[in-house]
Amino acid sequence: THNNTSAPSTPTSQEKGELKHLVVFVHGYGGNSFDLRQMGNFFSLYEKNILVLYSSVNKQLTDLNIDELGNNLAAEIIQFLMKEKIKISKISFVAHSLGGIVVRCALGKPSLQLLIPKFHTFISISSPHLGYLFSHNKLTSKGVWAITKFKDATSIFK
């Protein structure tokens, strides 16, 4: 950073050559980037070298096919790294509900293959990794029925 005052400017951590640990927060079905913000703020306070990305690319799109959601997330991560010109040492994911499935899908995309060696942590909160079919909860069944009755929610069937 350049400053016009006579005091020397303090170099940023990137200028010092420090690599950041990128933590990507991915919301669940019907969510948005604010859903996990409190958790992200805690991570940022706990560790100074963490850079947080609150995924927003799939906001209001969670009814789409999971493959499309994964493509969108992968593109958002690459675009973020290129825009900010950031070099990372690690990448971690914190995902809620459908976000966990979207992260798993995104990790299989060719655009993220160069980041796989930097993969550090995957925290999945209430993600249906085994699918919905193994649930025997009547309330959940009624909720899924209602969503599919009134919305074209492709992601629910995947």
Side-chain angles (χ1 to χ4, degrees):
T1 58
H2 182 29
N3 194 342
N4 288 334
T5 63
S6 59
S9 62
T10 305
T12 65
S13 61
Q14 284 290 299
E15 290 169 343
K16 292 180 196 173
E18 294 178 26
L19 298 176
K20 293 285 189 179
H21 178 177
L22 177 62
V23 181
V24 182
F25 288 84
V26 184
H27 61 80
Y29 182 80
N32 63 51
S33 62
F34 291 99
D35 290 353
L36 298 170
R37 196 158 298 252
Q38 188 173 20
M39 189 181 297
N41 290 342
F42 175 78
F43 275 57
S44 296
L45 290 172
Y46 181 72
E47 179 63 47
K48 293 178 184 176
N49 207 32
I50 284 182
L51 180 66
V52 172
L53 169 61
Y54 300 101
S55 177
S56 62
V57 71
N58 288 321
K59 177 183 162 186
Q60 299 178 348
L61 299 176
T62 53
D63 290 328
L64 294 178
N65 184 303
I66 290 175
D67 194 48
E68 293 176 61
L69 299 174
N71 283 332
N72 294 346
L73 177 61
E76 181 180 32
I77 293 167
I78 296 301
Q79 184 179 31
F80 176 78
L81 291 173
M82 290 173 56
K83 178 184 170 197
E84 301 294 325
K85 297 181 177 129
I86 295 168
K87 294 181 181 176
I88 60 171
S89 60
K90 302 176 199 170
I91 184 168
S92 295
F93 296 89
V94 178
H96 173 253
S97 187
L98 181 65
I101 307 302
V102 173
V103 168
R104 286 181 39 208
C105 183
L107 289 173
K109 301 300 175 188
S111 58
L112 291 185
Q113 292 307 299
L114 292 175
L115 295 178
I116 295 295
K118 298 174 190 258
F119 185 75
H120 186 259
T121 304
F122 176 50
I123 299 173
S124 171
I125 305 164
S126 299
S127 294
H129 295 291
L130 297 177
Y132 165 71
L133 295 176
F134 296 102
S135 173
H136 298 292
N137 184 318
K138 289 182 181 185
L139 181 61
T140 303
S141 297
K142 297 281 187 205
V144 170
W145 176 84
I147 289 171
T148 57
K149 179 85 171 148
F150 300 108
K151 292 180 95 177
D152 182 26
T154 310
S155 61
I156 298 252
F157 295 108
K158 299 289 180 178

